[in-house]
Amino acid sequence: MHETCAHTPRRDALLVAEALERASRVSAVRYELEFTLHAERDDFDGRAVVRFDLSGAGDVFIDARLGTLHELTLNTTVLPAVCDGFRITLPAELLLAKNEVHLRWTSPHEHTGVGFHRFKDPEDGATYAYTDFEPFSAHRLFPCFDQPDIKAVYAVEAVAPAAWTVIANGRTLETSDVLGGLKRHRFAELPPFSTYLVALCAGPWHTQRAEHAGIELGVHCRASLARFLDADEIFAVTRQGFDFYTNEFAQGYPFGKYDQIFVPEFNSGAMENVGAVTFNECMVFRDPPTEAQRLSRAEVILHELAHMWFGNLVTMRWWEDLWLNESFATYISFLALDEATRFKACWRAFLSGIKGWALGEDQKPSTHPIACSVEDTEQTFLNFDGITYGKGASVLKQLRAWLGAEGFREGLRLHFRRHALGNASLADFLAALSDASGRDLSAWSKLWLETSGVNTLGVSSDGTLHQSVGNGSGVLRPHLLRIARWAPQADGTLRRTHLEEVRIDGASASLPAAFRPERGTLIWANADDLAFARIALDAESLQTVAEHLGSVECALTRMGLHVSLFDMLRDAQLSPQRWVEITLRALTHESDGEILEAGLRRVASVLSRYVSDAKRAGTVRHAFATAQSVLDTTLPGSDLRLHWSRGIIGLVGTREDAAKLKTWLDDAPASINVDQGMRWRILARAAAFDLPGTVERIAQERKRDPSDRGAKMSFACEAAFGDSSNKQAVFERFVQATESHDLLKSAMPLFFWAHQRTQLAPLARRWLDVLPALSKSADFEYLSRGFARSLAPHCVCDDALLQAGQELLQSLSADQAPLRRILLEELDEMQRTLRLRAL
C-alpha cells in the first residue's frame, strides 16, 4: 500500500490530558529503527518496528509527522497506510497486551532547524543532516509515543554514503559496506530514555577523539570549519565536567560514550541528546575569541553535560517541570565553572547574562511562576524563557546557600538514587532535598516557585533594609543576602569596609549603624549576589556610583551595579542620556572583559531604541567618540582592545561615524585586527547609511568569505539598505519563509534602523498585520525566535503602531494564546521605548 499522509489543519501538539492517559496505558516500549540517508536527495527513508505493552481499553495513537507512509501493520494485520497528518490511530479491536507495529515511510528533510534538518555547505558542497526534537518533534523522524514519560529502548541502524560519519546516541557497534557506495552503521542500545533526546547526525564530519575515565569522547564539526576547531579546550572542559559531576552526584555517567557535534543552522545554543549533544556552531570560533566567549562556551558545554544526569538519567514527567531541567543545569554548570575550571569570572557572567535576562522577563506583564502548568506541547515553547532558565537557577543558588553545600549535595545524590532511569516531578526533587537536609521546603516552594514577579531590596536613609513587592503576585519572600559598605580610599578606589549577612522575610530588617548611607560611600544590598531581587540604590550611593563606579574594587559588585543602573533606566528613573554618560564613564576604566562586553552591548541597544530623535545625534556621537578615544590609548591586554574594537561598531549612529569605520576595511589602525566578523558588521552599518561603494564592497567581501556566514551576512547587509523597494522585497521574504530559516533570521536584527523610520513606518505596521496569519502557517520556532521578536520594530515604533498593536491584542481569540503572549511582551517593550524617548 502507498498513500500520502493527508496533513489536516489541526495543530501538531499534544495535550497534557492526552499524554497522561496514554502514559497510564503504554509501557515497555522498544523501537527498532532503520534510516537510509542520501547525499543528493532531500528526503530520507525509514523503517520502524514499535513494540509496547498496553493496558486498558480503547484506541491508542502514535505521533507521526511523515511525508509518505508506505506500509503500516499492527500485530500482523495490514492497515491502510494513512495518518491524519500528525497521528496514526491504532484501533482498539486489533490491540493486544503486547503489540508490534511495523511501518515504512519516506519523509522530506527540514530546513527550519526542527526535526531532521539538512544543510549543504556552500564552501565545499558537502551535505550534513542532524536532528533537533525538544519538546515535540521526534515524530518528524520516526513514529513514536512522543512524550517525556514514555521512555524507551532504541535499536538504531543507519545506511548512508560511505564517506559520511554517522553519529547516534549509542556508540557504533559495527559498520558494513552496502551496494551503491553506501555503508550500514549499527549502534549500541542504551538504558531507556525519552524520545525528545534521540539523535542522528550524518555527514562528512571532521572528527577528533579522546578518552576520559573509560568514556569515549568525540568532537565533530563540518569539514570546512576544521581549521577553526579548538578541540583540546573543549575536551579539557568536558573532562573537568565529568570529574565534577560524578563526584557531586555520586553517580557515574550512564550512557557509555559522549559525542559533541557542532552543527550548522541550529536554532538554539545546544541540545542535550543522550550521548550525542548538538551545539550551535557559532561556538567554533571563526574569529579570535575573547575570554568571555570562551567562558560562555564552557558554560554551555557543562550545562549540556549536566543534563546527562538531570534530564536524561532522571527526566521530568511533563513539560511543566521544564524549568527544573533547565534551571538545575544552568545553576550547576556555573558552580562547576567556578569550582572545576579556570573561568573564575563565571558569576559575573551569570549575573549579567542569565540572571539579568530573568530580571527583565519577571517584570513583563506576561510574568509567570517558575513552576506553572503547561496545557500542551506548543505552550512549552513559551517557557524557554528567562524565568525558566535564569530565575530558576538564581533561586537554586539561593536555596543552596540556605541549605548549605553539603545538604544540597546530599539531596541531589538521594534524588538520583531514587529516580535513576525513570521520571520525577518537582515534588520528588524537593522531597529528596528535604529528606537529606532535614529542612521542610514547602513554604519556600510556595513563595518562590508558585508566585510571580520580582521584589526590590534596598537600604533606606536611616540604615534599614527594606523589601517591596513588584508586579505579578505581589508577595514578600524570604531572602538570605549580604550587605556591604564601600568607602573611598586614598588611592581613589572604593574598598569594602563592612560586610553583614542578613535574612529578611518581611518588609524590613534592621542593620548595624555602619550601614547608614553617607556622602561618598556606597551601600550595596547584594554582595556575593545571593538574592534574586532588584537592588535599589539610596540617593547617596547613587551619587557615588555615578561618579566612581569604575573604581569599585570588586568586579562582581561592579557588575551588579551596572544591572541596577539598567533597571533604573528601564523604570525611567534615569534618562537614557544620563545612563549612557554614567555607563560609558565607568567602562572607560573597566578592566574586566565580562563587564565591558555586557556594558557595550547595553549601550548599543539603548542608543538604538531608547534615545529620542532630538538627542540621538549628540548622544551617539559622544558614545562613538568615547570608544574611539579609548582605542587611541594603550589598553592593558588584547582582550580589552578586542572588546572595544568590536563594541564600537554597535555605537555607530551617524553617517559620518559609519564612514570612519568603513575605512577600517582597507586601512585599520595598526593595533586593531579587523576580523571577518567585524568586516561584515562594519559593512552592515555602511549599508544602513547607504554609503557610496557599499554594494560593490559587499560583493568583494562575499568572494573573500564564501562560507555560509558570508551568505547570511551578505543578505543581512542587503536587508540593512534604506531603499524602500529593497526593504519591501526583503520583508516579503521574511513573510513567505520558504528559504532557510537560519538565513532569514540572520538578517532580521539588521532590518529596522532608527534613522530609517520614515521609510520603514509602513513595514512596521505590516509586521503587525501579518502576525496572526504567520502564527498559523509558520513553525512556532520561526515565529517566536524570529519574525515576532528579532524583527519587532521597536526602534521605529510610534504611538500609532502601539495603538494598532493593542487593538490586535484585544482581538485575538483564546486559542491564540502563544501569539497573545508574544504580542503582549513586544507591546510592553514598545510602550517602555516611547516612555523613555519622552524623558
Side-chain angles (χ1 to χ4, degrees):
M1 295 186 180
H2 181 143
E3 192 165 336
T4 300
C5 298
H7 286 257
T8 66
R10 183 172 55 76
R11 293 182 308 143
D12 185 13
L14 180 66
L15 302 177
V16 61
E18 296 173 318
L20 287 170
E21 195 275 338
R22 187 164 64 173
S24 71
R25 299 183 59 201
V26 174
S27 61
V29 181
R30 174 182 172 84
Y31 299 99
E32 297 171 8
L33 305 171
E34 180 185 305
F35 304 101
T36 301
L37 314 179
H38 312 281
E40 302 303 327
R41 283 171 44 186
D42 197 24
D43 60 15
F44 64 95
D45 301 306
R47 292 177 179 269
V49 179
V50 184
R51 306 178 196 274
F52 62 97
D53 293 353
L54 185 68
S55 62
D59 298 345
V60 170
F61 66 90
I62 293 181
D63 305 294
R65 185 167 176 171
L66 309 175
T68 301
L69 183 61
H70 305 294
E71 176 186 329
L72 173 61
T73 302
L74 170 60
N75 295 330
T76 72
T77 299
V78 177
L79 298 176
V82 295
C83 66
D84 67 357
F86 309 120
R87 296 177 177 181
I88 297 171
T89 300
L90 305 178
E93 61 270 20
L94 297 177
L95 290 167
L96 306 171
K98 293 185 178 295
N99 297 277
E100 186 174 302
V101 185
H102 290 250
L103 308 102
R104 185 170 60 86
W105 68 94
T106 300
S107 284
H109 282 286
E110 307 277 355
H111 298 278
T112 63
V114 178
F116 199 12
H117 183 86
R118 186 175 185 269
F119 171 83
K120 187 169 184 177
D121 192 326
E123 283 193 85
D124 59 13
T127 298
Y128 298 87
Y130 65 86
T131 54
D132 190 44
F133 295 151
E134 190 177 27
F136 186 61
S137 290
H139 62 286
R140 298 185 186 214
L141 177 67
F142 65 101
C144 58
F145 301 110
D146 204 354
Q147 60 189 78
D149 58 344
I150 302 184
K151 289 189 168 185
V153 173
Y154 307 85
V156 179
E157 295 187 7
V159 176
W164 286 13
T165 298
V166 183
I167 306 160
N169 302 100
R171 65 183 178 88
T172 303
L173 292 179
E174 64 178 5
T175 61
S176 56
D177 292 332
V178 180
L179 291 177
L182 303 175
K183 183 169 288 188
R184 179 180 298 276
H185 306 255
R186 184 168 68 87
F187 301 97
E189 297 180 23
L190 296 174
F193 59 91
S194 304
T195 50
Y196 77 95
L197 298 166
V198 169
L200 187 65
C201 304
W205 304 104
H206 167 76
T207 295
Q208 295 195 39
R209 299 199 178 277
E211 182 272 343
H212 183 65
I215 302 166
E216 298 174 16
L217 306 179
V219 170
H220 316 265
C221 71
R222 285 188 286 141
S224 62
L225 293 182
R227 64 191 186 276
F228 303 117
L229 183 66
D230 52 338
D232 288 346
E233 181 165 300
I234 295 168
F235 282 133
V237 173
T238 304
R239 290 185 177 104
Q240 290 165 334
F242 270 117
D243 290 344
F244 179 81
Y245 292 143
T246 53
N247 176 68
E248 191 77 3
F249 305 150
Q251 178 87 40
Y253 175 66
F255 301 115
K257 59 87 176 176
Y258 193 70
D259 283 300
Q260 297 175 94
I261 311 102
F262 294 84
V263 301
E265 300 190 328
F266 201 57
N267 281 329
S268 57
M271 178 59 208
E272 66 269 20
N273 311 306
V274 164
V277 176
T278 42
F279 292 85
N280 191 312
E281 67 181 16
C282 69
M283 288 175 241
V284 176
F285 303 123
R286 307 187 201 197
D287 303 315
T290 63
E291 185 70 357
Q293 287 176 290
R294 292 182 183 278
L295 186 157
S296 178
R297 180 180 65 182
E299 189 277 322
V300 177
I301 290 170
L302 294 174
H303 179 110
E304 304 309 321
L305 182 57
H307 274 310
M308 296 302 121
W309 288 266
F310 208 102
N312 298 5
L313 177 66
V314 180
T315 312
M316 61 201 161
R317 289 199 177 97
W318 180 244
W319 297 107
E320 63 196 3
D321 282 331
L322 171 70
W323 80 268
L324 186 55
N325 236 25
E326 298 301 344
S327 294
F328 180 84
T330 299
Y331 170 64
I332 207 73
S333 64
F334 277 94
L335 186 65
L337 280 175
D338 185 35
E339 297 191 2
T341 77
R342 76 170 196 270
F343 296 105
K344 302 308 177 185
C346 56
W347 293 120
R348 301 196 286 282
F350 178 88
L351 170 55
S352 177
I354 200 79
K355 185 177 179 181
W357 179 30
L359 288 167
E361 295 278 306
D362 213 14
Q363 296 172 63
K364 291 180 178 180
S366 57
T367 182
H368 57 84
I370 295 174
C372 58
S373 61
V374 175
E375 296 303 316
D376 60 38
T377 50
E378 191 171 81
Q379 198 179 93
T380 305
F381 278 103
L382 296 175
N383 289 337
F384 284 95
D385 64 6
I387 295 173
T388 291
Y389 283 77
K391 185 177 181 179
S394 298
V395 302
L396 288 176
K397 183 181 182 183
Q398 170 92 166
L399 180 61
R400 185 173 184 265
W402 274 59
L403 298 180
E406 189 59 30
F408 189 78
R409 182 184 300 113
E410 288 306 312
L412 299 182
R413 293 173 175 179
L414 180 59
H415 182 67
F416 289 125
R417 288 199 300 271
R418 286 176 173 175
H419 304 289
L421 300 180
N423 296 85
S425 66
L426 169 61
D428 296 322
F429 178 68
L430 293 178
L433 291 179
S434 295
D435 292 346
S437 67
R439 299 279 294 272
D440 182 2
L441 295 178
S442 55
W444 177 89
S445 174
K446 185 173 183 61
L447 286 171
W448 274 109
L449 305 182
E450 300 172 34
T451 61
S452 63
V454 59
N455 301 114
T456 298
L457 298 170
V459 178
S460 58
S461 58
D462 64 357
T464 302
L465 177 65
H466 58 81
Q467 176 179 196
S468 60
V469 299
N471 61 328
S473 302
V475 299
L476 296 177
R477 300 184 178 93
H479 302 266
L480 171 68
L481 62 155
R482 293 175 185 141
I483 312 291
R485 179 182 187 270
W486 296 77
Q489 305 298 305
D491 62 0
T493 63
L494 279 172
R495 189 168 300 158
R496 193 172 75 188
T497 59
H498 296 78
L499 182 68
E500 187 81 10
E501 187 166 283
V502 180
R503 292 177 184 264
I504 182 173
D505 58 8
S508 63
S510 59
L511 296 174
F515 296 97
R516 183 185 295 273
E518 297 175 355
R519 183 172 298 278
T521 64
L522 162 64
I523 307 298
W524 180 238
N526 199 16
D528 300 326
D529 194 39
L530 293 181
F532 180 82
R534 288 158 48 98
I535 307 300
L537 292 169
D538 63 88
E540 299 293 349
S541 294
L542 176 58
Q543 185 63 34
T544 301
V545 168
E547 297 173 359
H548 304 292
L549 172 53
S551 301
V552 176
E553 280 192 335
C554 173
L556 183 61
T557 297
R558 292 200 305 275
M559 183 71 90
L561 290 166
H562 276 288
V563 170
S564 284
L565 288 173
F566 192 63
D567 270 338
M568 293 181 70
L569 163 71
R570 287 174 56 80
D571 283 350
Q573 297 171 6
L574 285 175
S575 72
Q577 296 77 34
R578 177 65 171 147
W579 179 87
V580 169
E581 177 189 350
I582 293 171
T583 301
L584 283 176
R585 181 188 299 133
L587 293 180
T588 59
H589 300 286
E590 187 54 63
S591 60
D592 182 83
E594 286 289 340
I595 298 175
L596 187 55
E597 182 181 66
L600 289 172
R601 187 171 59 245
R602 287 196 192 101
V603 171
S605 175
V606 169
L607 292 175
S608 168
R609 188 172 296 187
Y610 295 151
V611 179
S612 67
D613 290 344
K615 298 286 186 180
R616 177 171 291 109
T619 307
V620 297
R621 285 195 190 102
H622 166 66
F624 187 88
T626 299
Q628 196 168 35
S629 67
V630 173
L631 285 169
D632 289 340
T633 65
T634 302
L635 288 169
S638 59
D639 227 32
L640 296 182
R641 181 168 295 279
L642 198 52
H643 283 300
W644 277 106
S645 58
R646 289 174 177 173
I648 195 174
I649 301 172
L651 305 183
V652 169
T654 67
R655 184 178 177 86
E656 295 75 18
D657 290 341
K660 288 178 185 177
L661 278 197
K662 189 167 180 277
T663 65
W664 283 17
L665 298 177
D666 297 311
D667 188 24
S671 60
I672 295 176
N673 175 32
V674 182
D675 58 51
Q676 188 60 53
M678 290 171 62
R679 298 178 74 86
W680 280 121
R681 292 181 61 224
I682 290 170
L683 272 177
R685 270 76 188 166
F689 285 96
D690 294 297
L691 295 182
T694 301
V695 171
E696 295 78 10
R697 195 56 195 249
I698 292 171
Q700 292 176 28
E701 288 300 321
R702 188 70 186 93
K703 291 180 180 177
R704 178 190 179 102
D705 180 11
S707 70
D708 60 307
R709 179 176 70 170
K712 287 185 285 190
M713 288 307 301
S714 175
F715 176 49
C717 290
E718 178 186 343
F721 279 107
D723 176 73
S724 295
S725 59
N726 170 71
K727 288 288 190 187
Q728 181 67 46
V730 171
F731 191 88
E732 290 309 312
R733 291 171 69 176
F734 293 151
V735 174
Q736 297 302 318
T738 55
E739 304 166 75
S740 159
H741 284 188
D742 192 62
L743 173 73
L744 296 174
K745 288 188 291 186
S746 69
M748 289 177 182
L750 296 172
F751 185 80
F752 286 108
W753 297 81
H755 66 277
Q756 297 175 352
R757 180 173 297 145
T758 301
Q759 61 265 47
L760 287 175
L763 290 177
R765 179 55 191 264
R766 177 150 167 73
W767 169 84
L768 190 66
D769 292 341
V770 302
L771 276 176
L774 199 65
S775 70
K776 296 178 181 178
S777 62
D779 274 335
F780 194 78
E781 173 73 33
Y782 180 75
L783 178 78
S784 62
R785 296 194 189 185
F787 192 91
R789 298 201 190 275
S790 293
L791 194 62
H794 298 298
C795 65
V796 299
C797 68
D798 54 22
D799 290 329
L801 183 66
L802 179 62
Q803 178 63 33
Q806 290 169 338
E807 291 171 1
L808 173 60
L809 183 65
Q810 294 300 316
S811 72
L812 295 178
S813 59
D815 65 350
Q816 293 175 292
L819 178 58
R820 177 186 293 276
R821 175 170 163 181
I822 292 172
L823 188 56
L824 179 68
E825 292 174 354
E826 298 308 319
L827 293 177
D828 178 67
E829 180 59 23
M830 288 183 191
Q831 196 167 34
R832 188 187 305 273
T833 297
L834 296 175
R835 184 167 64 248
L836 289 174
R837 284 186 201 153
L839 262 185

